[in-house]
Amino acid sequence: MLAPWDETDLYNPEHRKEKLEILLCQKAQQGDDVSSLIEALGYFKNTQNEQQWQKIVRRQTQEQLTFDSLQRILITAFAVLGVICFFDKVLNPTESITNKNHPTQSIEKQH
């Protein structure tokens, strides 16, 4: 016969499932009705599957949030870089042109 349950078995779904499986086998050997035990085992199986799906959904949601945050950071960084380049060209339009020409002219004058 099935060993008595202790308090820890009641709080652990795996222990309850294991005890129900043992009880199912014993009842089936005795020829008793096992339909309620099969329903209970189905409940535990569905609960376990639901927990697995919840973990998967949580992980996918976290990955999507991480990707979205990284995407926002990169877009912001490129926008700031573009603004800096724009203001550099607007505020110093001739410096960039003269800086390119001066080193060549100074080298030619030295020769």
Side-chain angles (χ1 to χ4, degrees):
M1 200 78 207
L2 189 64
W5 292 34
D6 60 8
E7 296 257 342
T8 58
D9 289 338
L10 296 175
Y11 295 109
N12 187 338
E14 279 301 312
H15 288 159
R16 288 189 298 237
K17 182 180 169 189
E18 189 177 303
K19 294 280 188 180
L20 281 171
E21 288 172 346
I22 293 169
L23 185 61
L24 175 67
C25 292
Q26 289 175 349
K27 293 246 181 214
Q29 285 176 346
Q30 295 172 359
D32 294 342
D33 180 32
V34 293
S35 59
S36 61
L37 291 172
I38 291 173
E39 286 179 31
L41 286 171
Y43 168 78
F44 284 120
K45 181 180 177 186
N46 290 338
T47 302
Q48 187 177 17
N49 287 342
E50 186 177 325
Q51 289 171 350
Q52 290 296 330
W53 282 114
Q54 287 175 352
K55 286 179 186 177
I56 291 169
V57 168
R58 263 194 307 261
R59 187 176 65 235
Q60 288 176 341
T61 303
Q62 184 61 39
E63 288 172 358
Q64 184 64 40
L65 289 173
T66 302
F67 175 77
D68 290 346
S69 297
L70 182 61
Q71 187 178 24
R72 284 186 194 128
I73 289 169
L74 289 174
I75 289 171
T76 303
F78 280 115
V80 168
L81 183 61
V83 168
I84 290 171
C85 290
F86 173 77
F87 281 117
D88 182 51
K89 293 291 183 184
V90 168
L91 297 176
N92 304 316
T94 56
E95 279 188 21
S96 59
I97 296 170
T98 56
N99 284 340
K100 289 180 184 176
N101 292 333
H102 281 287
T104 322
Q105 291 173 355
S106 63
I107 292 173
E108 290 174 0
K109 289 179 182 178
Q110 290 176 357
H111 291 293

